[in-house]
Amino acid sequence: MGKALDGVRVLDFTHVQSGPTCTQLLAWFGADVIKVERAGSGDITREQLRDIPDADSLYFTMLNHNKRSVTIDTKNPEGKRVLEALIGKCDVLVENFAPGALDRMGFTWERIQELNPRMILASVKGFGPGPYEDCKVYENVAQCVGGAASTTGFDDGPPVVTGAQIGDSGTGLHLALGIVTALYQRQTTGRGQKVLAAMQDGVLNLCRVKLRDQQRLERTGVMKEYPQHPNGAFGEAVPRAGNASGGGQPGWILKCKGWESDQNAYIYFITQAPVWPKICGLIGKEEWVTDPDYATPAARLPRLKEIFAEIERWTTTKTKFEAMAILNQYDIPCGPILSIKEIAEEPSLRKTGTIVEVDHPVRGKYLTVGNPIKLSDSPTEVTRSPLLGEHTDEVMAELGYASEQIAQLRAVGAI
Ligand code: CAO
């Protein structure tokens, strides 16, 4: 079966996490992704957080599946010529260098357009145009400047970053959508264009509901579903909401059987209004169905702490999986806190290809997260990440270089 992006050639100048997640997605959808790396060292993540000496790290392998690797010294004049040939042949150039690095290599947008007017130039940067546009940015910086850290954690503690890589992988996803959209528009215009996904913007997009709450707070001075209500105080900015639900249905994380020794023996419990009578029945509080202090969502809001404490008395008598099974019988929305170990071992995720075992010639078998986006007519087969420069000769031959020329370029350090 063909793939959705068959025939699309991507010149992949990405490194670390944000850019590589984007190009890995494009590769999973069928694009030919040619990753350009520096000879000898390559993407810095090849050697970061290594668990096996001399093997590409899991950090690298898990972000660079289904790609080809070529080594080119982009500062060498001969190397630049090879790059020019590649730019002429490719549809998309993706990069996440520090601001200005591509220009310093000599590949300004104007030069790229001269070489290939159909080229789509896609970039991840830390910030969009403005006072911080020249700054380098990593994941947690993006979480801090995009609104996530100030709104994560508990009211009485410091800001907290999340383990979800919303700055890197989140921005990679945004960029991938920008690229396929630009490819679509190119079908009618015949022209390429620049696509920019700034990490601050990507994180803020994912924190959209917090900007909603900022404006609600400014208008009314209170947000009744937040834990600060009714006993705490609200300041000028959206506060950290602990584990409160982001939407109109109050929720909280509650202890389950075994919580004393297992730090993941918890469940997220949502007191969805339509199933309130079922919740009351389950926890033995039938009187709350009709008691005016508890009968309506508005009446319950100032009493959420007490309500969740009562529900927790029930959840602590069950394991998180027992609680999940019972609650689902009553259509009560909930979610056990799954450890990464439990997720890695979950058979249904293996079956759908969301968790995949991959074999690598140096490191052997390892687990990775497969393509989370499933297309019925473009299934994803995850193949291992390339060794450094594994495809240099192959790609050079495709560009029309003879083997003697390739050897010569290698001798002068251009590839
Ligand atoms: N041959 C020769 N030189 C190469 C090369 C190659 N194949 N590939 C890269 N280089 C050079 C670049 O030209 C650049 O040189 P100059 O600074 O002299 O122009 C140099 O390598 C370093 O590039 P960099 O500044 O992008 O890398 P860094 O390690 O200093 O910074 C990062 C890393 C991520 C902070 C920065 O790239 C950045 O801010 N990127 C944008 C935001 C981003 O994507 N952040 C997320 C990263 S994942 O957490």
Side-chain angles (χ1 to χ4, degrees):
M1 194 183 280
K3 295 281 155 62
L5 295 184
D6 269 347
V8 173
R9 270 184 301 239
V10 177
L11 183 52
D12 181 7
F13 258 129
T14 68
H15 64 156
V16 202
Q17 185 181 160
S18 63
T21 59
C22 166
T23 51
Q24 178 169 260
L25 276 171
L26 300 177
W28 280 339
F29 289 131
D32 176 15
V33 175
I34 302 166
K35 182 169 172 108
V36 177
E37 297 180 81
R38 217 189 298 242
S41 53
D43 187 326
I44 193 166
T45 59
R46 283 189 185 265
E47 60 175 40
Q48 278 179 343
L49 309 176
R50 264 191 180 141
D51 57 328
I52 300 174
D54 301 326
D56 286 334
S57 71
L58 285 165
Y59 196 8
F60 177 84
T61 53
M62 291 176 70
L63 291 166
N64 290 285
H65 293 105
N66 298 61
K67 304 181 186 177
R68 300 199 278 173
S69 166
V70 300
T71 52
I72 303 174
D73 179 351
T74 61
K75 292 187 173 162
N76 177 303
E78 301 293 330
K80 276 193 213 293
R81 261 200 280 283
V82 177
L83 268 180
E84 288 173 359
L86 272 169
I87 290 172
K89 290 257 183 236
C90 288
D91 301 279
V92 186
L93 190 166
V94 192
E95 62 93 22
N96 69 313
F97 289 126
L102 198 62
D103 290 355
R104 287 195 292 277
M105 277 179 200
F107 294 105
T108 60
W109 174 227
E110 292 69 32
R111 177 71 186 128
I112 290 168
Q113 281 176 300
E114 264 170 33
L115 293 165
N116 180 356
R118 288 173 58 81
M119 176 63 84
I120 289 157
L121 169 60
S123 305
V124 170
K125 293 288 166 262
F127 294 90
Y132 305 118
E133 64 188 313
D134 291 331
C135 300
K136 289 185 175 181
V137 168
Y138 281 106
E139 171 67 48
N140 288 347
V141 176
Q143 291 195 24
C144 292
V145 299
S150 73
T151 53
T152 303
F154 288 87
D155 201 23
D156 56 358
V160 175
V161 295
T162 159
Q165 305 285 283
I166 56 177
D168 280 339
S169 291
T171 308
L173 263 168
H174 283 92
L175 191 70
L177 178 59
I179 290 168
V180 290
T181 307
L183 281 167
Y184 188 76
Q185 191 174 15
R186 195 181 70 172
Q187 288 181 345
T188 46
T189 63
R191 280 198 320 274
Q193 62 182 300
K194 284 198 282 182
V195 180
L196 170 66
M199 295 169 79
Q200 181 183 40
D201 302 11
V203 171
L204 179 58
N205 183 36
L206 300 176
C207 291
R208 178 172 295 261
V209 297
K210 299 298 177 183
L211 184 56
R212 171 199 69 192
D213 289 350
Q214 178 64 36
Q215 294 171 87
R216 290 173 61 221
L217 179 65
E218 283 170 17
R219 193 175 306 275
T220 65
V222 65
M223 292 182 294
K224 292 182 178 166
E225 78 284 16
Y226 272 58
Q228 288 78 3
H229 176 73
N231 302 318
F234 286 95
E236 287 188 340
V238 174
R240 294 188 261 291
N243 289 316
S245 162
Q249 308 287 349
W252 201 255
I253 289 183
L254 305 177
K255 292 169 183 158
C256 290
K257 196 191 236 172
W259 66 273
E260 299 90 338
S261 55
D262 175 358
Q263 60 177 359
N264 293 310
Y266 289 81
I267 193 162
Y268 200 91
F269 193 108
I270 297 178
T271 56
Q272 193 204 13
V275 290
W276 178 243
K278 292 178 184 170
I279 296 171
C280 296
L282 200 63
I283 63 172
K285 282 284 189 185
E286 286 83 357
E287 65 275 20
W288 279 0
V289 179
T290 48
D291 183 337
D293 281 349
Y294 298 89
T296 64
R300 292 195 286 276
L301 282 176
R303 298 178 177 80
L304 286 178
K305 221 170 158 185
E306 177 204 345
I307 289 169
F308 282 123
E310 199 58 49
I311 298 172
E312 193 170 62
R313 259 191 276 285
W314 179 82
T315 56
T316 43
T317 65
K318 310 277 178 286
T319 68
K320 62 186 177 187
F321 294 114
E322 288 167 352
M324 167 92 168
I326 296 168
L327 293 170
N328 272 301
Q329 281 172 22
Y330 294 96
D331 251 356
I332 299 168
C334 64
I337 307 306
L338 296 183
S339 69
I340 293 292
K341 181 171 168 31
E342 286 165 335
I343 291 167
E345 291 165 358
E346 170 57 44
S348 64
L349 294 176
R350 300 283 183 111
K351 214 167 158 196
T352 57
T354 297
I355 299 280
V356 188
E357 189 175 77
V358 183
D359 205 0
H360 186 276
V362 185
R363 67 173 306 112
K365 289 192 163 66
Y366 65 94
L367 286 185
T368 195
V369 183
N371 192 345
I373 305 165
K374 320 286 197 240
L375 267 61
S376 61
D377 279 3
S378 182
T380 297
E381 290 113 38
V382 179
T383 60
R384 70 167 174 85
S385 58
L387 302 174
L388 180 59
E390 185 175 344
H391 304 97
T392 306
D393 288 33
E394 180 181 294
V395 170
M396 295 291 289
E398 285 167 15
L399 289 173
Y401 286 85
S403 44
E404 312 81 64
Q405 289 173 297
I406 299 173
Q408 230 169 11
L409 286 171
R410 191 162 276 130
V412 298
I415 59 171

